[in-house]
Amino acid sequence: MSAPAMKWLKIVHIVLVSLFFGGILSSVTVNFALGLGSYEDTLKSYKVIVLISDGVIRTGAVGTLAVAFVYGFFTPWGFFRHRWLTVKWILFLLQTFIGIFVVDKLMLANLYLLETLGPAALEDPGFLRNHGLRNAFVFIQIILTLVIFIISVIKPWKKKRK
């Protein structure tokens, strides 16, 4: 891949990661802004969180994954050439797994409870548990993303040139 192509790939990667991380931060901001006191506000907030998840976070995540494959297959970086890259892959896959199988599942379960139970959902133990767990796992995602950023810049475990 040519040097200008690599620069454009890096730009696309940064934009997509920004969408991904910005979506997570936006989602958590909406989630913490709702006080669970008003059914209508909570229902609207959960619908907004689903829109952010489906539109912004998913676009950023899938795009980031696609760009990562381009980096892996078509650039000298490869997939596992450097230990720090391998760690980034593992953390990204862990973060994505948490997002799909934990955060999204809890979010959709709570939206379902809100739509089926109405205002009673705000007092439902399952809803409250899901809401708290979702908050905790979103923070784990944020921490993983920050660790990935740090690894990307510092590149620990990088072999020194002789």
Side-chain angles (χ1 to χ4, degrees), residues 118-130:
L122 298 178
E123 297 174 9
D124 182 75
F127 176 88
L128 296 172
R129 181 187 58 82
N130 291 348

Side-chain angles (χ1 to χ4, degrees), residues 4-157:
M6 287 286 288
K7 288 181 181 179
W8 280 107
L9 186 62
K10 190 177 209 174
I11 290 168
V12 170
H13 181 64
I14 290 169
V15 168
L16 290 167
V17 168
S18 297
L19 274 175
F20 182 54
F21 192 53
I24 291 170
L25 292 176
S26 299
S27 173
V28 81
T29 301
V30 172
N31 203 43
F32 279 105
L34 67 102
L36 301 181
S38 163
Y39 168 74
E40 290 300 324
D41 289 345
T42 303
L43 178 62
K44 286 177 189 174
S45 294
Y46 262 89
K47 287 183 178 185
V48 167
I49 292 168
V50 170
L51 285 173
I52 292 169
S53 177
D54 291 349
V56 180
I57 297 171
R58 189 164 295 141
T59 300
V62 170
T64 299
L65 185 61
V67 167
F69 279 119
V70 172
Y71 268 116
F73 286 119
F74 302 108
T75 73
W77 289 101
F79 289 101
F80 306 106
R81 182 167 287 159
H82 304 281
R83 198 172 311 147
W84 64 270
L85 260 175
T86 304
V87 172
K88 274 181 62 172
W89 266 106
I90 292 167
L91 293 177
F92 178 73
L93 292 173
L94 175 63
Q95 178 192 46
T96 302
F97 179 85
I98 289 170
I100 294 169
F101 297 106
V102 180
V103 173
D104 283 358
K105 184 178 175 185
L106 294 168
M107 171 187 66
L108 293 174
N110 270 5
L111 182 59
Y112 176 78
L113 289 172
L114 286 164
E115 291 175 337
T116 56
L117 299 178
L122 298 178
E123 297 174 9
D124 182 75
F127 176 88
L128 296 172
R129 181 187 58 82
N130 291 348
H131 186 74
L133 280 173
R134 184 181 182 282
N135 288 342
F137 278 101
V138 168
F139 270 117
I140 292 169
Q141 283 189 296
I142 291 169
I143 290 167
L144 288 172
T145 303
L146 293 174
V147 170
I148 291 169
F149 288 167
I150 291 166
I151 290 171
S152 297
V153 173
I154 295 175
K155 295 176 181 62
W157 317 294

